[in-house]
Amino acid sequence: FLFLFLFPTNLLPTSYYLLPTSYYLLTYYLLKKMRITGGRARGIALECPPKDTRPATDTLREALFSSLGKTIEDVRLLDVFAGTGAYGLEAISRGAREVTFIEKQPAALACLRKNLLNVCKSAERNAITTAHIRPMDALKNLTSLKPPFDLIIADPPYTLLDDFCKLYCETLCTLLTASEHARFILETPADREPSTFSQLTLVKRIGKLKSQSPTLLVYAQTSSPHSEVCG
């Protein structure tokens, strides 16, 4: 399908323009579909609700998990504001031992449950023992979770980002294990100044530094003399 968009239109056969509209819609749909980027479930499509969520892009996810490398294997991960589950499902595909998803929107939860079954089937994982879906407000009842977690990923709506960082991130940090590989990862707009936390040090920034483009801030518990920007 892709070559039809890249091929010069003046060289296309006349029959191309006679194809039904459904053909073009299907091509667009397949090209825009969000998918798992690595691991045993690589290529599996992820369902997304038509609105009210901001799914993590494939490129940004792939860059994050490539940077984590083998450290993702056998970790316990907490996916806060999970949406359709893209981050946590990517982790399952790449070998994470257990993932807890926190999401409250019904449409996103429906997609998350369907995506979880598809990814676990492809990765030959048991969905019941591998994942725990907590249909709750991510800004409440954090103390009800069962720490420690090796990795926490938070992707809050940008309208809640300031309050989330000021009021809840420090609490989330206490749920991390003491491992040197433990990380807290926060998705923010590129033009927002990185948040600072008393218990964490910014060690890496992933994503293009363009206005409103999503970037990932990677924090570690251990002190680091410098931060690193990844384009």
Side-chain angles (χ1 to χ4, degrees):
F1 292 117
L2 182 58
F3 85 95
L4 293 176
F5 287 95
L6 302 178
F7 202 79
T9 56
N10 62 314
L11 300 180
L12 288 172
T14 304
S15 58
Y16 172 74
Y17 299 98
L18 302 179
L19 291 170
T21 303
S22 59
Y23 177 87
Y24 306 111
L25 293 176
L26 176 61
T27 303
Y28 176 80
Y29 175 78
L30 290 173
L31 291 174
K32 298 295 287 184
K33 195 74 171 178
M34 190 167 63
R35 298 177 184 276
I36 297 296
T37 66
R40 301 182 70 178
R42 182 177 182 177
I44 293 296
L46 300 177
E47 294 292 331
C48 299
K51 58 181 180 178
D52 298 329
T53 61
R54 188 188 67 255
T57 65
D58 290 359
T59 302
L60 194 61
R61 261 186 298 115
E62 185 170 21
L64 169 63
F65 284 93
S66 293
S67 74
L68 293 173
K70 294 289 186 180
T71 63
I72 193 63
E73 295 178 3
D74 206 39
V75 303
R76 296 186 70 228
L77 184 149
L78 177 62
D79 190 350
V80 187
F81 297 101
T84 56
Y87 283 120
L89 295 171
E90 187 79 39
I92 289 174
S93 175
R94 292 172 182 257
R97 172 161 50 101
E98 185 179 313
V99 177
T100 298
F101 298 91
I102 298 180
E103 178 55 53
K104 71 173 185 177
Q105 297 295 338
L109 281 168
C111 291
L112 171 54
R113 292 187 174 100
K114 182 176 180 180
N115 291 336
L116 174 62
L117 293 176
N118 290 338
V119 168
C120 284
K121 180 180 179 180
S122 179
E124 298 181 336
R125 303 286 299 275
N126 186 323
I128 296 176
T129 58
T130 300
H132 309 282
I133 298 176
R134 302 290 298 273
M136 67 182 220
D137 190 333
L139 302 183
K140 299 178 181 178
N141 301 317
L142 291 178
T143 55
S144 69
L145 300 173
K146 296 180 180 180
F149 297 98
D150 305 289
L151 188 63
I152 298 176
I153 301 179
D155 182 14
Y158 290 166
T159 54
L160 299 178
L161 188 55
D162 288 338
D163 287 343
F164 177 73
C165 290
K166 292 176 183 177
L167 303 175
Y168 300 99
C169 281
E170 295 285 2
T171 300
L172 279 174
C173 294
T174 65
L175 304 180
L176 281 170
T177 182
S179 167
E180 64 176 317
H181 298 298
R183 295 290 185 269
F184 173 68
I185 298 168
L186 179 66
E187 182 174 318
T188 72
D191 57 358
R192 183 181 186 275
E193 191 68 21
S195 299
T196 58
F197 307 106
S198 61
Q199 304 176 52
L200 299 172
T201 299
L202 180 65
V203 295
K204 184 176 291 188
R205 187 167 189 166
I206 300 173
K208 296 183 181 299
L209 301 181
K210 295 181 179 179
S211 177
Q212 287 301 307
S213 296
T215 61
L216 293 170
L217 305 179
V218 182
Y219 295 87
Q221 290 177 305
T222 53
S223 60
S224 175
H226 64 276
S227 62
E228 177 181 347
V229 179
C230 299

